[in-house]
Amino acid sequence: MQPLNFDVPIDVEAMGLNSEDLLGRPEREAVHKYWDKMKQAIVDFGIDCYRPFTREHRAFLLDTSNECALIGGNSSAKTWTAMAKVTAVLIGRHPTIQRKTPAEAWVACEDFSLNKEGPLKALLTLGQQYIANYSDHSKEIEYKNGSKVTLKSYESGWKKFQSAAVDIASLDEEPPEEIYKEIRMRTLRTSGHIQLSMTPLEGLTWTYDMLYEDPKETVKVYTVSLFDNYTLKEEDIERTISGYSDQEREARVYGRFTQMAGLVYPEFKRGRHVIAPFKLNKNYVVFTGIDPHITTPTAVVYYAVGKLGDHYVIGEQFLDGSIPDIAKAINAFRAPYRQGWSVMDSSAQTEIRIFDRDIYSSFIREGINALLAPKGPGSIGKGISDVRELLKPTKIGIPTMRIFDNCKMLIKSMQTLTREQYRDESKQGKKDKVAEGKHHHHAALRYIHQLGPRYFEPMVEPDDLPPMDEAVGY
C-alpha cells in the first residue's frame, strides 16, 4: 500500500505569516472554510483525507525517533495528530516509520471516559476503512491486517502497564512518571515508539524536567498553539481566551510550561531544592509525618534535622494494607536512624474509624506513638509558612531545607500545589484556602512543621557516680 500523504495543504509560513497573524484578516476566513470541508472529508472517509495543519504538526507526524512529544494549547489538534500517527503505523502506511504489520499499540489517557471523546473517537474515525472490530469490554480495536490497539487509563495504576511489548505507545495528556517509565520498558524490546501529546496545565512538573532540564534525555519536542487549529472559528477563539490570566494563556493557548498562578510554593526550584540521597550519620534526627487514610494509601514523610541546622526530606512512602502492615513498614524505614517524634493528622483520632475504633488508637497499639497535629484556624498556614521560610536561600546561597530526589510524590506536590481561586468578590476571604486534595505527602510534611522539628543531642548513660559524701550526700 502507498504511504499516506502528510503534506501541509495550506502552508501559512510560506506566506511569511503564522497562525496568530491571520486573525482579523480575510485570509483566515478562507483558510477556515477550506479546513471545514477537510474536517468533513475525514469524518466521511478517514485517514486517507487527513492532512496536518502546520509544519510543526507535520514534523511530529514524520518524526522517527523512539520518543517525541507534541506540546500544545487546548484544541490545538494534539490528540488527532497523535492518533493519525498511531493509525498510520498500525495499517502499515506511515511515510517514514517502517514497521512490520500486524503491529501492537497502546493509547492511554487519564480515564476511560476521556478516552471515548478524545483518542477513541479519533482512532475510530481515522481508521474506519481499516478496522475490523472494536470491543468496548476489552477496550481493544482490531484492524483488518491483524494490528491491534489497546486503550488504557492512568487511573488503573502503573502495574496495568506491565508485561506486554508494544510497537507504539501514545499518551494523551500528562501521565504519572511511573507509568511513563513503565511504558519505556514495554517499547524497549521492540525498539518501539513513545509519543506524548499534552497541554501543560500542572506547572513545572516532572515532564518539564524530562523535556527541557535533564541533559540525559533526548525526547524531541514539537510545540503547537490553539491558533493552529483552523477549524476553530475566530470569534470562538477570541471568546475563549478573553478570560484567561497571563499564566493560563501561556499554557492553554501556546502550550508553554509556566508556573501557574496561585502556587503555594512559587520559590521551589527543582535544581535548587532537590538533591541526590546521602547516608545520614549520628548528627541527624529523623522525624515522621503520617497522613492516614482508609480508602487511599497512607502517606508517610521522613524528615531529618542536622546538628548544624540543615533539613532534609529523606524519604516517602505510600502504604496500602492493614494498620499492622503499615506500622511495620514505617518502623522498618526509620529503624537505622536516630528517631525523633512522629506526628499524625488529628482526624485519625476523631473522624477516621474502622469498626467503630479510631485508627489513631490502632497505630498506637502497633507501636506508632504519634503526636497529633494541631488543628484549627491558622494551623495549615503555619505549616506552609515554616516550609516556605526554609526554602529561602541562606547567606551562602543554599536553602535550609532540601528534598532527596527519591521523594517523587512530594516533589510533584511542591511544584503543583495551588491555592483555590475565587472570582466572586464576596468569597475573597476564602482565596487563601490551599487545594491540598490529593497532595497527601505535603500534608504529612506540613504536620511535621506544625510542631516544629528541632535537633536534639542523644541521651547518654551517665558516668559512674563518685562515692557519696556521708555528710551532704550527692
Side-chain angles (χ1 to χ4, degrees), residues 281-285 305-310 338 455-458:
N281 59 31
K282 62 181 181 180
N283 292 321
Y284 288 90
V285 179
V305 179
K307 188 173 184 177
L308 300 178
D310 46 334
R338 278 187 57 208
Y455 176 83
F456 57 84
E457 293 290 348

